Amino acid sequence: MAPTAPDTEWRFLHAADLHLDAPFRSLLADATMPAALRATLADATFRAFENCIASAIRLRVRLVLFAGDIDNAGEQSVRARAAFRLGMERLAKAGIAAVAVRGNHDPWSAASSASVPGVRFLGTEPESVTLEGTPAVTVHGASHATVADERNLAVRIDPAPDDGAFHIGLLHCHLATAQGSDRHGRYAACSVADLERADMRYWALGHVHTPWTGGDAACPIVYPGCLQGLHINEAGAHGAVLVTVRDGRVAGVERVELDSVRWHSIDIPITDCATPEEWLESAADAARALRPASGGRSIIARLRVTGRGTLFSALRDEAARAGLLSHLRLQAAADMPDTWFESLQFQAASLIDRATLEADPASIIGEVFRQEVALRTSDAGAIRDILAAESAGTGGLARRLRTLLESASDEELAALLARAADIVADRLHDPDETA
């Protein structure tokens, strides 16, 4: 494509995966969460969206792109529709154009999409929209037609014409090479080559909630990530990307943090802790250290007991860890009211000499380790298959296993198996339990 004509610098904001009115059911169902924090969490996606609109206006961007999943899980939220409509009205009043596509979570029909003033939703077949004014900008893309659209939308888009305009591709799609893509369904899957053939200047993608940039300087391919982290696997800062265009080329892609609640996973090792009280003090100190970097946002933290040490036997007990979690929540309510400890996970290791026992063919504990290694190394999906068979029931354990299977990667399941082997070995090694 020939270079576009030189022009003054201009900017646009690229957002995706708003998931307005995401319910956060598992957390909000916990009656022990303080009321103020519950209200903050319930409003989190809306506040992130409000931050997005306010930032677009403050930054004086020319265009805002929404790359799908504006709604959440097809739940037809009246509040989500109203909030999105109000946001589009604010952009229009500020003279900012908005273009969007529907994703696999969006229940919007073509008719309802068209009824939202201030935004142009692209249809389920590829189409293009050219902005008013100069420099010339054209956005090309297509929306999902169903909740599980298996079409490769990228290859359906015609290559951009050599007309001197700045051409942007806009899709909600699965790109396997993008970091974090393994956590999302393969809807509208495509390849980098499929995108590059369209000869765009920028690809604005949605669907993968982890921020990622690929492509090259001539055409960055970008997932901005979700506007607001929705669960613990989406820890850290979230928001949109601010794209600066200078002389017809992308001159900068800058992350803009917009989330109102921030998730964190904190590793608290037992290595240097002689007592549970020392571990509790370390956990509280680590949580306090998160607050300055979170910029006044509320914090949802998962604590992980890690490392190797003498506390392994004391903390392997689920009831003991539940007591620690309750204590930390009470302490946070008094000292850190904007912080909630979501859970306490046990990922520590015992001081048992695993290598020696594993090498001893007569050792029962060694046999535990040998069986764990055999299962972990035999087949990447073997652990998942076993858990899937156990998750077929209707009890609480079966439900927890289903949740685990939906959220955990094969590597995380393998690590979980290794920790289970450590716990079994520690129980066998404990004379009080084997007597």
Side-chain angles (χ1 to χ4, degrees), residues 74-138:
E75 293 184 350
Q76 300 279 354
S77 166
V78 173
R79 185 184 179 190
R81 300 294 179 88
F84 187 72
R85 178 182 290 268
L86 178 60
M88 296 308 97
E89 290 174 355
R90 291 178 62 195
L91 290 180
K93 185 176 180 180
I96 299 171
V99 182
V101 293
R102 299 191 301 276
N104 56 291
H105 280 264
D106 291 319
W108 305 66
S109 66
S112 64
S113 299
S115 69
V116 181
V119 60
R120 170 69 179 273
F121 275 92
L122 302 183
T124 56
E125 293 297 333
E127 61 177 311
S128 305
V129 56
T130 299
L131 303 189
E132 295 180 358
T134 56
V137 178
T138 301

Coordinates of all heavy atoms in Angstrom, one line a residue, residues 74-138:
G74 N -24.4 -12.8 27.1 CA -25.7 -12.8 26.5 C -26.8 -12.6 27.5 O -27.9 -13.1 27.3
E75 N -26.6 -11.9 28.6 CA -27.6 -11.8 29.7 C -28.6 -10.7 29.5 O -29.4 -10.4 30.4 CB -26.8 -11.7 31.0 CG -26.1 -13.0 31.3 CD -25.4 -13.0 32.7 OE1 -25.4 -11.9 33.3 OE2 -24.9 -14.0 33.1
Q76 N -28.5 -10.0 28.4 CA -29.6 -9.0 28.1 C -29.8 -8.0 29.2 O -30.9 -7.7 29.7 CB -30.9 -9.7 27.8 CG -30.9 -10.6 26.6 CD -31.0 -9.9 25.3 OE1 -31.2 -8.7 25.3 NE2 -30.9 -10.6 24.2
S77 N -28.6 -7.5 29.8 CA -28.7 -6.5 30.9 C -29.3 -5.2 30.5 O -28.7 -4.5 29.6 CB -27.3 -6.4 31.5 OG -27.3 -5.3 32.4
V78 N -30.3 -4.8 31.1 CA -30.9 -3.5 30.8 C -30.0 -2.4 31.2 O -29.8 -1.4 30.5 CB -32.3 -3.3 31.5 CG1 -32.8 -1.9 31.4 CG2 -33.3 -4.3 31.0
R79 N -29.3 -2.6 32.4 CA -28.4 -1.6 32.9 C -27.2 -1.5 31.9 O -26.7 -0.3 31.7 CB -27.9 -2.0 34.3 CG -27.0 -0.9 34.9 CD -26.4 -1.4 36.2 NE -25.6 -0.4 36.8 CZ -24.8 -0.5 37.9 NH1 -24.8 -1.7 38.5 NH2 -24.0 0.5 38.3
A80 N -26.7 -2.6 31.4 CA -25.6 -2.5 30.4 C -26.0 -1.7 29.2 O -25.2 -0.9 28.7 CB -25.1 -3.9 30.1
R81 N -27.1 -2.0 28.6 CA -27.6 -1.3 27.5 C -27.7 0.2 27.7 O -27.3 1.1 26.9 CB -28.9 -1.8 27.0 CG -28.9 -3.3 26.6 CD -28.1 -3.6 25.4 NE -28.1 -5.0 25.1 CZ -29.0 -5.5 24.3 NH1 -29.9 -4.8 23.8 NH2 -28.9 -6.8 24.1
A82 N -28.2 0.6 28.9 CA -28.4 2.0 29.2 C -27.1 2.7 29.4 O -26.9 3.8 28.9 CB -29.3 2.1 30.5
A83 N -26.1 2.0 30.0 CA -24.8 2.6 30.3 C -24.1 2.8 29.0 O -23.4 3.8 28.7 CB -24.0 1.7 31.2
F84 N -24.2 1.8 28.1 CA -23.5 1.9 26.8 C -24.1 3.0 25.9 O -23.4 3.8 25.3 CB -23.5 0.6 26.0 CG -22.7 0.6 24.8 CD1 -21.3 0.5 24.9 CD2 -23.3 0.6 23.5 CE1 -20.5 0.6 23.7 CE2 -22.5 0.6 22.4 CZ -21.2 0.6 22.5
R85 N -25.4 3.1 25.9 CA -26.1 4.2 25.2 C -25.6 5.6 25.7 O -25.3 6.5 24.9 CB -27.6 4.0 25.3 CG -28.4 5.1 24.6 CD -29.9 4.9 24.8 NE -30.3 3.7 24.1 CZ -30.8 3.7 22.8 NH1 -30.9 4.9 22.2 NH2 -31.2 2.6 22.3
L86 N -25.6 5.7 27.0 CA -25.2 7.0 27.6 C -23.7 7.3 27.2 O -23.4 8.5 26.9 CB -25.3 7.0 29.1 CG -24.9 8.2 29.9 CD1 -25.7 9.4 29.4 CD2 -25.1 8.0 31.4
G87 N -22.9 6.3 27.2 CA -21.5 6.5 26.9 C -21.4 7.0 25.4 O -20.6 7.9 25.1
M88 N -22.1 6.4 24.5 CA -22.1 6.8 23.1 C -22.6 8.2 22.9 O -22.1 9.0 22.1 CB -22.9 5.8 22.3 CG -22.3 4.4 22.3 SD -20.5 4.2 21.9 CE -19.8 4.2 23.5
E89 N -23.6 8.6 23.7 CA -24.1 9.9 23.6 C -23.1 10.9 24.1 O -22.9 12.0 23.4 CB -25.4 10.1 24.5 CG -26.6 9.3 23.9 CD -27.8 9.3 24.9 OE1 -27.6 9.8 26.0 OE2 -28.9 8.8 24.5
R90 N -22.3 10.6 25.1 CA -21.3 11.5 25.6 C -20.2 11.7 24.5 O -19.6 12.8 24.3 CB -20.7 11.0 26.9 CG -21.6 11.1 28.1 CD -21.0 10.5 29.3 NE -19.8 11.2 29.7 CZ -18.8 10.8 30.5 NH1 -19.0 9.6 31.1 NH2 -17.8 11.5 30.8
L91 N -19.8 10.5 23.9 CA -18.8 10.6 22.8 C -19.3 11.5 21.7 O -18.5 12.4 21.1 CB -18.4 9.2 22.3 CG -17.6 8.3 23.2 CD1 -17.4 7.0 22.6 CD2 -16.3 8.9 23.7
A92 N -20.5 11.3 21.2 CA -21.1 12.0 20.1 C -21.1 13.5 20.5 O -20.8 14.4 19.6 CB -22.4 11.5 19.8
K93 N -21.5 13.9 21.7 CA -21.5 15.3 22.1 C -20.1 15.9 22.0 O -20.0 17.1 21.8 CB -22.1 15.4 23.5 CG -22.3 16.8 24.0 CD -23.0 16.8 25.4 CE -23.2 18.2 25.8 NZ -23.9 18.3 27.2
A94 N -19.1 15.1 22.3 CA -17.7 15.6 22.3 C -17.1 15.6 20.9 O -16.0 15.9 20.7 CB -16.9 14.7 23.2
G95 N -17.9 15.1 19.9 CA -17.4 15.1 18.5 C -16.5 13.9 18.2 O -15.7 14.0 17.3
I96 N -16.6 12.8 19.0 CA -15.8 11.6 18.8 C -16.6 10.5 18.2 O -17.6 10.2 18.6 CB -15.2 11.2 20.2 CG1 -14.4 12.3 20.8 CG2 -14.4 9.9 20.0 CD1 -14.0 12.0 22.3
A97 N -16.1 10.0 17.1 CA -16.7 8.9 16.4 C -16.5 7.6 17.1 O -15.5 7.4 17.9 CB -16.2 8.8 15.0
A98 N -17.4 6.6 17.0 CA -17.3 5.3 17.6 C -17.7 4.3 16.6 O -18.8 4.4 16.0 CB -18.2 5.3 18.9
V99 N -16.9 3.2 16.5 CA -17.3 2.1 15.7 C -17.1 0.8 16.5 O -16.1 0.7 17.3 CB -16.3 2.0 14.4 CG1 -16.7 0.8 13.5 CG2 -16.4 3.3 13.6
A100 N -18.0 -0.2 16.3 CA -18.0 -1.4 17.2 C -18.3 -2.6 16.4 O -19.0 -2.5 15.3 CB -19.0 -1.2 18.3
V101 N -17.9 -3.8 16.9 CA -18.4 -5.0 16.3 C -18.9 -5.8 17.5 O -18.6 -5.6 18.7 CB -17.3 -5.9 15.6 CG1 -16.8 -5.2 14.4 CG2 -16.1 -6.1 16.6
R102 N -19.8 -6.8 17.2 CA -20.4 -7.6 18.3 C -19.5 -8.9 18.4 O -19.0 -9.4 17.4 CB -21.8 -8.0 18.0 CG -22.8 -6.8 17.9 CD -24.2 -7.3 17.8 NE -24.5 -8.1 16.7 CZ -24.8 -7.7 15.4 NH1 -24.8 -6.4 15.2 NH2 -25.0 -8.5 14.5
G103 N -19.3 -9.4 19.6 CA -18.6 -10.5 19.9 C -19.4 -11.7 20.3 O -20.7 -11.6 20.2
N104 N -18.8 -12.8 20.8 CA -19.6 -14.0 21.1 C -20.4 -13.8 22.3 O -21.3 -14.6 22.6 CB -18.6 -15.2 21.3 CG -17.5 -14.9 22.3 OD1 -16.6 -14.1 22.1 ND2 -17.6 -15.6 23.4
H105 N -20.1 -12.8 23.2 CA -20.9 -12.6 24.4 C -22.1 -11.6 24.2 O -22.8 -11.3 25.1 CB -20.0 -12.1 25.5 CG -19.3 -13.2 26.2 ND1 -19.7 -13.8 27.4 CD2 -18.1 -13.8 25.9 CE1 -18.8 -14.7 27.8 NE2 -17.9 -14.7 26.9
D106 N -22.1 -11.0 23.0 CA -23.1 -9.9 22.8 C -24.4 -10.5 22.2 O -24.4 -11.1 21.2 CB -22.5 -8.9 21.8 CG -21.4 -8.1 22.4 OD1 -21.5 -7.7 23.5 OD2 -20.4 -7.9 21.6
P107 N -25.5 -10.2 23.0 CA -26.8 -10.7 22.5 C -27.5 -9.6 21.6 O -28.6 -9.8 21.2 CB -27.6 -10.8 23.8 CG -27.0 -9.7 24.7 CD -25.6 -9.7 24.3
W108 N -26.8 -8.6 21.3 CA -27.4 -7.5 20.5 C -27.8 -8.0 19.1 O -27.0 -8.6 18.4 CB -26.4 -6.4 20.2 CG -25.8 -5.8 21.5 CD1 -24.9 -6.5 22.4 CD2 -25.9 -4.5 22.0 NE1 -24.6 -5.6 23.4 CE2 -25.2 -4.4 23.2 CE3 -26.6 -3.4 21.5 CZ2 -25.1 -3.2 23.9 CZ3 -26.5 -2.2 22.3 CH2 -25.8 -2.1 23.5
S109 N -29.0 -7.7 18.7 CA -29.4 -8.0 17.3 C -29.0 -6.8 16.4 O -28.6 -5.7 16.9 CB -30.9 -8.1 17.3 OG -31.5 -6.9 17.6
A110 N -29.0 -7.0 15.1 CA -28.7 -5.9 14.2 C -29.6 -4.7 14.4 O -29.1 -3.6 14.4 CB -28.8 -6.4 12.8
A111 N -30.8 -5.0 14.7 CA -31.8 -3.9 14.9 C -31.5 -3.1 16.2 O -31.5 -1.9 16.2 CB -33.2 -4.4 14.9
S112 N -31.2 -3.8 17.2 CA -30.9 -3.1 18.5 C -29.6 -2.4 18.4 O -29.4 -1.3 19.0 CB -30.9 -4.1 19.7 OG -29.9 -5.1 19.6
S113 N -28.6 -2.9 17.7 CA -27.3 -2.3 17.5 C -27.5 -1.0 16.8 O -27.0 0.1 17.2 CB -26.4 -3.2 16.8 OG -26.1 -4.4 17.4
A114 N -28.3 -1.0 15.7 CA -28.5 0.2 14.9 C -29.3 1.3 15.7 O -29.2 2.5 15.3 CB -29.3 -0.2 13.7
S115 N -30.0 0.9 16.7 CA -30.8 1.9 17.5 C -30.0 2.7 18.5 O -30.5 3.6 19.1 CB -31.9 1.2 18.2 OG -31.4 0.4 19.3
V116 N -28.7 2.4 18.7 CA -27.8 3.1 19.6 C -27.2 4.3 18.9 O -26.4 4.1 18.0 CB -26.7 2.2 20.2 CG1 -25.9 3.0 21.2 CG2 -27.3 1.0 20.8
P117 N -27.6 5.5 19.3 CA -27.0 6.7 18.6 C -25.6 6.9 18.9 O -25.1 6.6 20.0 CB -27.9 7.8 19.1 CG -28.4 7.4 20.4 CD -28.5 5.9 20.3
G118 N -24.8 7.4 18.0 CA -23.4 7.8 18.3 C -22.4 6.7 18.0 O -21.2 7.0 18.2
V119 N -22.8 5.5 17.6 CA -21.9 4.4 17.4 C -22.3 3.7 16.1 O -23.5 3.5 15.9 CB -21.8 3.4 18.5 CG1 -23.1 2.8 18.9 CG2 -20.7 2.4 18.3
R120 N -21.4 3.2 15.3 CA -21.7 2.4 14.1 C -21.3 1.0 14.4 O -20.1 0.7 14.6 CB -21.0 3.0 12.9 CG -21.0 2.1 11.7 CD -22.4 2.0 11.1 NE -22.4 1.2 9.9 CZ -22.1 1.6 8.6 NH1 -21.8 2.9 8.4 NH2 -22.1 0.8 7.6
F121 N -22.2 0.1 14.5 CA -22.0 -1.3 14.6 C -21.8 -1.9 13.2 O -22.7 -1.7 12.4 CB -23.1 -2.1 15.3 CG -23.0 -2.0 16.8 CD1 -23.6 -1.0 17.6 CD2 -22.3 -3.0 17.5 CE1 -23.5 -1.0 19.0 CE2 -22.2 -3.0 18.9 CZ -22.8 -2.0 19.6
L122 N -20.7 -2.6 13.0 CA -20.5 -3.3 11.7 C -21.3 -4.6 11.7 O -21.5 -5.2 12.7 CB -19.0 -3.6 11.5 CG -18.1 -2.4 11.5 CD1 -16.7 -2.8 11.2 CD2 -18.6 -1.3 10.5
G123 N -21.8 -5.0 10.5 CA -22.7 -6.1 10.4 C -22.0 -7.5 10.5 O -20.8 -7.5 10.7
T124 N -22.8 -8.5 10.3 CA -22.2 -9.9 10.4 C -21.5 -10.3 9.1 O -20.8 -11.4 9.1 CB -23.3 -10.9 10.7 OG1 -24.3 -10.8 9.7 CG2 -23.9 -10.6 12.0
E125 N -21.6 -9.5 8.1 CA -20.7 -9.7 6.9 C -19.8 -8.5 6.8 O -20.1 -7.4 7.2 CB -21.6 -9.8 5.6 CG -22.4 -11.1 5.5 CD -21.6 -12.3 5.5 OE1 -20.4 -12.3 5.0 OE2 -22.1 -13.4 6.0
P126 N -18.6 -8.7 6.3 CA -17.6 -7.6 6.3 C -18.2 -6.3 5.6 O -18.8 -6.3 4.6 CB -16.5 -8.1 5.4 CG -16.5 -9.6 5.7 CD -18.0 -9.9 5.7
E127 N -17.9 -5.2 6.3 CA -18.3 -3.9 5.7 C -17.3 -2.9 6.2 O -16.5 -3.1 7.1 CB -19.7 -3.5 6.1 CG -20.0 -3.4 7.6 CD -21.4 -2.9 7.8 OE1 -21.8 -1.9 7.2 OE2 -22.1 -3.5 8.7
S128 N -17.3 -1.7 5.6 CA -16.4 -0.6 5.9 C -17.1 0.6 6.2 O -18.2 0.9 5.7 CB -15.4 -0.4 4.7 OG -14.8 -1.6 4.4
V129 N -16.5 1.5 7.0 CA -17.1 2.8 7.3 C -16.0 3.8 7.3 O -14.9 3.6 7.9 CB -17.8 2.8 8.7 CG1 -16.9 2.3 9.8 CG2 -18.4 4.2 9.0
T130 N -16.2 4.9 6.6 CA -15.2 5.9 6.5 C -15.6 7.1 7.3 O -16.8 7.6 7.2 CB -15.1 6.4 5.0 OG1 -14.6 5.3 4.2 CG2 -14.0 7.5 4.9
L131 N -14.7 7.6 8.1 CA -15.0 8.7 9.0 C -15.1 10.0 8.2 O -14.5 10.2 7.2 CB -13.9 8.9 10.1 CG -13.6 7.7 11.0 CD1 -12.7 8.1 12.1 CD2 -14.9 7.1 11.6
E132 N -15.9 10.9 8.8 CA -16.0 12.3 8.2 C -14.7 13.0 8.5 O -14.1 12.8 9.6 CB -17.2 13.0 8.7 CG -18.5 12.4 8.3 CD -19.7 13.1 8.9 OE1 -19.5 14.1 9.6 OE2 -20.9 12.8 8.6
G133 N -14.3 13.9 7.7 CA -13.2 14.8 8.0 C -11.9 14.3 7.4 O -11.8 13.3 6.7
T134 N -10.8 15.0 7.7 CA -9.5 14.6 7.3 C -8.6 14.5 8.5 O -8.8 15.1 9.5 CB -8.9 15.7 6.3 OG1 -8.9 16.9 7.0 CG2 -9.7 15.7 5.0
P135 N -7.5 13.6 8.4 CA -7.2 12.8 7.3 C -8.2 11.6 7.1 O -8.9 11.3 8.0 CB -5.8 12.2 7.6 CG -5.8 12.2 9.1 CD -6.6 13.5 9.5
A136 N -8.2 11.0 5.9 CA -9.2 9.9 5.6 C -8.9 8.7 6.5 O -7.7 8.3 6.6 CB -9.1 9.6 4.2
V137 N -9.9 8.2 7.1 CA -9.8 7.0 8.0 C -10.9 6.1 7.6 O -12.1 6.5 7.6 CB -9.8 7.3 9.5 CG1 -9.8 6.1 10.3 CG2 -8.7 8.3 9.8
T138 N -10.6 4.8 7.3 CA -11.7 3.8 7.1 C -11.5 2.6 8.0 O -10.4 2.1 8.1 CB -11.6 3.3 5.6 OG1 -11.8 4.5 4.7 CG2 -12.7 2.3 5.3

